[in-house]
Amino acid sequence: MRANDSATRATQDADDVGRSESAPDLVVLEHGLLTRRQLVPARSFSIGRRDDCDIVLRDPAASRRHALLHVSGEVTIEDLDSRNGTRLKGARLASRRPAAVRFGDSVQIGGAILLLQPGQPGGSGHPSPPRASAPETGPVVSDDPAMKAVYELIASVAPSLLTVLVLGETGVGKELIAEALHRQSGPRSAKPLMRINCAALTPALLESELFGHERGAFTGAQQARAGLFEAADGGTAFLDEIGELSADAQAKLLRVLETREVTRVGGVRPRPIDVRFVAATHRDLRANVVRGTFREDLYFRLAGATIRVPPLRQRPTDIEPLAAHFVNALCRQMGREPPSFSADAAARMRSHPWPGNVRELRNAVECAVLRARGPTIGLFDLAPEWMEATIDDRAPSNAGSFATEPPAVGVGPMEGERTERERIVGALAACHGNQTRAAEMLQMPRRTFVRKLAAYDIARPRGSHTRP
C-alpha cells in the first residue's frame, strides 16, 4: 500500500509540475490564428496534420506526422523525415536529430510558426483563447476584435527574435506596432529602436544609412560612420516602406538577414550584429513577388510573422476613443481644458471614410481643437474640405447638441462666397499661415489660392512671397 501511495504521490507531483508556472508554453501562429499550449514536462508532443497529433497543423506543407517536441530538462525538436523539412531559427534541421529550442526561438513548419515561451500561471495544458492587451505605446485600448487579435499577436511574438512584417494602409499606425514590439521584447527593449523610411532616400544614400560607410568610400565621406544596423545592435531595426527597396538593396538586406553580419560601404570586413528586424509596407508584397519587383526569398525572410493592421474605416468604434485621446494629448501640451465633440461633429467623424486612417484622424482633430473657441468642437470646426459635404445637411438632428453652431444658411451667390472665404481663413489658421499647405488642404492650386486671398481681402501672413 505504501509503495502504491508513493507511486500515486509521484504521479500527482508530476502532474503538479505540468500545471506549474515553470511549464513552458508553445505558441502556434497559423493562417493568422494564434493558439497557446502548455507543455507538460517529461513527455513528447507530436506535431503534424493528423488529427491524433498533440499539436495539429492545417498547413498543407506540413506532413501528417511532421515532428516531435521533447520536453525534459530542456526542450528539443526532432524532424520525422518530413516532406518539406523543419526550420529552427531559419536553418533546416537534419532529420531524426533533436535540436535544442530556447525561449524566443522560432520553429517554422510550412507556413506555421511555433514559438517557445515561458509558461503563464493557470495553464491548463490545452489551447487557450487569445488574451487581448493593448501595446504599451497604443493610444487607447481598442474594443475592435481585429485590433485585439493584433495586440495578442504582438504580445506573443515580441519576446522572440522572429522577424515581423507589418502590413496596412498608409496612416494606420504601423510604426506604433513596431514600437510596441520593441517595448515588449524583454531585455532588448533597453537597447535602441532605430527606424528608417526606405522610400525617403535615394538608393545610394539609403545603402549608406543602412550599412554605414568607411572613410573615403565616396565623395564627402571624410570619416567612417556606422549605419542603422550597427547602431541598432542589441535592439530593433524598423524598416518602414520596405516595398520601396531597389533590387540591389534587397539583395544586400537578404545577406544581412541570413548572416547577421553587415559590411560597410567601401569596407571589406563584415561586422556581426545582434538585431531584431521589423519591416512595414502598405504595398502587396506577394503581388510584387509575382511581378518580379520584390525578391521571393527576402519576402519569406521578412514574413516570419505577419501582422495586418485593419484600416480605420473597418473599425468605426475606435474613431471616437482615438479622437478623444488626440484631443487630450494636444490640450495637455497647450495647457487648456479639452473640448468635447458635439453630436453632429461626432456623427460626421463616424461617417467619414478616413482614407488617411489614424494619421488623418489625428491631423483633423488637432486642427479642430485649434479652431474651436468654446468647450465644444462643432461641425464647422472640422476640416474645411469637409464643408462642401455638410452644406446641405447643416440642420441639427438634435437642437440641444447643436445650440452653439452657426444657423443654417442657404447657398446663394453671397453665401457661397462667404463659405469659401471661411474655408480659406480656416485653412490658413490650421496651417499656421503657411499658404502652400493651406492650398494643398483645400486641394486648390497655389496661384488660385493667392488670387482668392486678394479677391476676399484676406490679409496675407507675414513672410509671404509677393509673387504667386
Side-chain angles (χ1 to χ4, degrees):
M1 292 293 292
R2 289 182 180 177
N4 289 340
D5 290 344
S6 298
T8 301
R9 280 196 299 271
T11 302
Q12 290 173 343
D13 289 344
D15 289 343
D16 289 341
V17 171
R19 289 189 294 268
S20 70
E21 294 182 29
S22 61
D25 281 359
L26 184 71
V27 174
V28 181
L29 309 174
E30 187 178 27
H31 302 308
L33 300 177
L34 179 147
T35 56
R36 185 186 298 271
R37 173 71 179 262
Q38 190 178 51
L39 302 176
V40 180
R43 58 163 293 196
S44 297
F45 295 82
S46 56
I47 305 171
R49 286 192 294 111
R50 278 176 46 165
D51 290 337
D52 60 351
C53 285
D54 296 299
I55 298 165
V56 179
L57 301 179
R58 301 303 180 191
D59 195 292
S63 298
R64 290 174 60 78
R65 278 181 59 83
H66 195 104
L68 280 175
L69 198 67
H70 306 288
V71 184
S72 55
E74 65 176 356
V75 179
T76 60
I77 190 161
E78 177 185 1
D79 184 84
L80 300 178
D81 298 315
S82 67
R83 183 175 69 255
N84 295 310
T86 303
R87 293 182 177 273
L88 175 62
K89 296 189 294 186
R92 182 163 179 161
L93 299 179
S95 184
R96 301 288 179 175
R97 295 181 61 181
V101 184
R102 296 178 174 81
F103 290 140
D105 287 352
S106 63
V107 176
Q108 185 171 1
I109 296 177
I113 301 294
L114 291 72
L115 296 170
L116 188 67
Q117 294 189 342
Q120 299 185 1
S124 63
H126 300 282
S128 61
R131 293 175 295 279
S133 60
E136 295 178 31
T137 54
V140 294
V141 177
S142 172
D143 288 329
D144 182 81
M147 287 306 297
K148 287 184 178 181
V150 167
Y151 299 151
E152 172 67 15
L153 194 51
I154 289 171
S156 296
V157 304
S160 73
L161 262 176
L162 193 67
T163 301
V164 178
L165 179 62
V166 185
L167 302 177
E169 295 179 4
T170 299
V172 294
K174 296 187 288 291
E175 188 168 356
L176 280 178
I177 302 299
E179 291 173 359
L181 286 164
H182 179 69
R183 287 174 63 91
Q184 297 183 47
S185 62
R188 192 171 293 276
S189 63
K191 298 294 185 176
L193 167 63
M194 305 300 294
R195 22 187 142 207
I196 193 167
N197 187 329
C198 299
L201 302 172
T202 64
L205 187 54
L206 178 64
E207 184 176 341
S208 174
E209 290 294 318
L210 290 177
F211 306 109
H213 61 258
E214 298 291 358
R215 181 179 179 183
F218 49 82
T219 303
Q222 299 180 357
Q223 58 184 9
R225 180 175 178 274
L228 177 135
F229 295 149
E230 286 184 72
D233 193 50
T236 304
F238 175 50
L239 308 176
D240 199 7
E241 299 301 348
I242 194 75
E244 310 305 318
L245 283 182
S246 66
D248 186 49
Q250 289 179 37
K252 292 179 179 178
L253 175 59
L254 177 64
R255 194 175 310 122
V256 171
L257 292 173
E258 290 178 337
T259 64
R260 299 287 162 168
E261 293 180 335
V262 62
T263 302
R264 294 178 178 178
V265 176
V268 295
R269 179 172 64 89
R271 301 166 184 266
I273 56 171
D274 172 23
V275 175
R276 198 272 183 80
F277 292 90
V278 179
T281 182
H282 70 281
R283 296 194 179 278
D284 185 345
L285 288 191
R286 286 182 180 272
N288 287 358
V289 168
V290 173
R291 295 188 195 101
T293 59
F294 200 85
R295 295 179 64 112
E296 184 178 33
D297 46 6
L298 177 58
Y299 170 75
F300 285 115
R301 277 285 182 180
L302 293 172
T306 300
I307 297 178
R308 298 180 184 274
V309 187
L312 190 56
R313 64 180 174 276
Q314 293 180 6
R315 43 191 176 102
T317 56
D318 282 352
I319 292 174
E320 289 181 71
L322 281 167
H325 167 78
F326 295 137
V327 168
N328 292 334
L330 180 60
C331 289
R332 276 197 303 270
Q333 297 175 7
M334 298 173 63
R336 59 176 281 192
E337 285 294 316
S340 59
F341 289 92
S342 73
D344 295 81
R348 174 58 60 186
M349 289 195 300
R350 287 193 298 269
S351 66
H352 187 64
W354 299 110
N357 291 292
V358 178
R359 182 181 299 139
E360 181 189 0
L361 174 63
R362 183 184 60 210
N363 291 341
V365 166
E366 291 180 350
C367 288
V369 169
L370 296 175
R371 291 190 190 96
R373 292 293 178 263
T376 303
I377 295 176
L379 192 61
F380 277 75
D381 295 320
L382 297 177
E385 59 266 32
W386 294 5
M387 287 301 98
E388 291 180 3
T390 64
I391 286 174
D392 293 330
D393 56 359
R394 292 181 191 175
S397 56
N398 183 312
S401 65
F402 208 74
T404 59
E405 301 293 347
V409 294
V411 286
M414 293 296 293
E415 288 81 359
E417 290 181 4
R418 185 160 63 88
T419 299
E420 185 174 55
R421 188 181 193 283
E422 290 173 354
R423 291 174 58 210
I424 292 173
V425 171
L428 279 172
C431 297
H432 307 287
N434 187 309
Q435 297 175 49
T436 301
R437 288 179 56 195
E440 290 174 353
M441 176 181 285
L442 297 174
Q443 297 182 342
M444 184 184 297
R446 190 177 185 281
R447 289 177 179 271
T448 303
F449 183 85
V450 172
R451 284 199 298 269
K452 287 183 180 292
L453 291 180
Y456 292 132
D457 195 25
I458 300 172
R460 300 182 66 181
R462 293 183 179 180
S464 300
H465 298 291
T466 55
R467 294 172 58 189

